[in-house]
Amino acid sequence: MGAIVRSLVYQRRWRLKDFSCERAESIARALGCSAPLARVLAARAPDTPTELLDDNIEHIHSPWELRGIREAVLRIDRALRQGEKIFIQGDFDVDGITSTALLYKALRALGAQGVKVDLSDRERGHGLSDAVIRRLKDEGFSLLITADCGISEHEFIAHLQEHGIDVIVSDHHHPPAQLPPAYAIINPKQPHCPYPNKDLAAVGVAFQVVRALYEYRGLPTQASEEFLDLVLLGTVGDLVPLVRDGQAENKRLVAQGLRRIAQGQTCLGLRVLIEKLSLDPQRLTTGEVSYILVPKFNAANRVGDPRDAFMLLVTALPSKAEALAAKLLAYNQDRQIAQDDLLYQAEEQLRSQPTWQNEKLIFLAGRYWNPGLIGLVASDLAEKYYRPTVLVSIEDEFSRASCRSIPGFDIIAALERHSELFERYGGHSMAAGFSIRTEKLPIVRERLCAYAREVLRDLGDPVHELETELAPEEITLETYTDLLRLAPFGMGHPTPRFLLRAAQIIEARTVGNGSQHLKLRVAVGGKEFSAIGFSLGEFAYEVERAGTVGLAFKLGCDTWTGRPQVQLEIEDILEPSA
């Protein structure tokens, strides 16, 4: 690996990625691209560089590669032909909501009349419940389709199958050792599933189910593409990797969703919400989806009712869309206030623990903390302190927890190691949750902290990656434009960050409300560049005093003067020896 460079202003280290210079030169010749883009491709996808530049929807995998898809399609088709009552059970986060909305809209478009929907909520927890099981039997449903849940519901599904209600599991979570006895299971992570992309979000799984169903019924391939705006929202919202090991199917799906929104081909409710947030649909980015749109949908399940978010995505009535969008915005305001308060409580509790800095895992618990917010606060703390973090809402008999992790610590593996303690648990390597008898909390705290001490014994300051060093003559608008061919960016495929060595500080000043941002003018190799460091204003004096620094930065474009100019968007100030 490349040499380590330390930050001047944060407890953070940076490392240049390794790549083959020969391979980068070969890619540049073959694709006719800039040298910086070729080096990024050589580092990220040396064997499949064109995969990262290809957003053609026709190049996503065939849905028929999913194990169980044929059985699922035939069963749904029979239910449609025979007019059976179909029930969709979805999870309450944005991935579950979009998955449910996609399946509901597709089945209604195919003529299904008796489709009913239920979403989990924070009170009942993820997945199926006794109340849902009773409703299915009492109201005569013969087919249940899950959306973003079901893979761990062995007992409930066995009961339904025994009572003549077929269950199709559409999920993407890590499967247990014993799969539920469903009529069909669609999950790319299940054993013996040949589908190449194991990182599909639940909405991606639902989309592939609908693609296969539409194809089986003789509809054109393009018919299912009307749902790509939902696929975008759920995929970005669930933080699944857009790219892994040079394979970019999720990136392709997200790109197509953004394209449809730019073309005005999105559902009414999402269009209304975008307008209310003053976002430009023609220039919408994954960052805006992730940090502006997704929180509004998740706010419904955290402090309100997730059914409002679902209804916004399926309504065809403008007045209803307006009212529901306004409701989501109000939920989000409530969420922000409550989250700030909970974060304050959590940090106060953390500071009251005299030895917390010696631990490799943060474990905090509070009486009746909002279960819908503990995941957000756990994420804040994990990022701030670079520790896996578990936050628990203590209740009388059973308590609920949300866990967030850091690279190098698989949180779901940690829970699996101690699975006998939990009533229920599930999640991914970076985010998970569990419910537990309240009297067992001291035991689980002790065991998880001990496990973290073992796994993270050599944990130091976080190490972030830089793609490559840029020479001064490579810092141009042409390079910036060429790098945009890699978009959209997101989880597993971040905006490239570069190294500029020995930048001489010509000017350092603060700008923005409260002088919170740092504006620099730097010189290197006989060229001068403008640079902006958002939220770095407090370090202006240190930077000016240093005189010469290294910069970790993204390439940006400043259009403030009306004439586009290349600009360095500073991520960090590095040691002068960088």
Side-chain angles (χ1 to χ4, degrees), residues 127-238:
L128 300 171
S129 65
D130 290 326
V132 169
I133 302 305
R134 283 195 300 272
R135 181 181 176 188
L136 288 167
K137 293 193 295 185
D138 292 347
E139 297 182 19
F141 289 94
S142 55
L143 178 62
L144 165 67
I145 305 173
T146 71
D148 196 26
C149 60
I151 196 65
S152 299
E153 306 280 0
H154 189 282
E155 185 176 339
F156 280 136
I157 290 173
H159 178 81
L160 289 171
Q161 291 286 163
E162 289 170 4
H163 285 77
I165 300 172
D166 288 332
V167 181
I168 295 173
V169 172
S170 168
D171 201 352
H172 74 130
H173 290 98
H174 184 70
Q178 184 181 18
L179 295 176
Y183 188 92
I185 296 175
I186 316 299
N187 184 334
K189 293 186 179 75
Q190 69 176 306
H192 313 299
C193 180
Y195 196 83
N197 179 15
K198 305 302 181 183
D199 293 315
L200 274 180
V203 71
V205 175
F207 177 65
Q208 289 290 48
V209 171
V210 168
R211 282 185 77 215
L213 180 61
Y214 275 30
E215 181 182 325
Y216 180 78
R217 298 195 123 222
L219 294 169
T221 306
Q222 296 76 17
S224 60
E225 294 176 13
E226 68 170 289
F227 306 121
L228 283 166
D229 55 342
L230 303 180
V231 178
L232 158 71
L233 197 59
T235 299
V236 172
D238 212 51

Side-chain angles (χ1 to χ4, degrees), residues 222-265:
Q222 296 76 17
S224 60
E225 294 176 13
E226 68 170 289
F227 306 121
L228 283 166
D229 55 342
L230 303 180
V231 178
L232 158 71
L233 197 59
T235 299
V236 172
D238 212 51
L239 301 178
V240 294
L242 301 190
V243 177
R244 189 195 291 272
D245 298 329
Q247 300 303 310
E249 180 174 62
N250 285 346
K251 175 180 175 289
R252 199 167 286 133
L253 291 168
V254 165
Q256 291 297 324
L258 289 170
R259 184 165 294 135
R260 289 190 68 85
I261 290 175
Q263 295 169 347
Q265 298 173 321

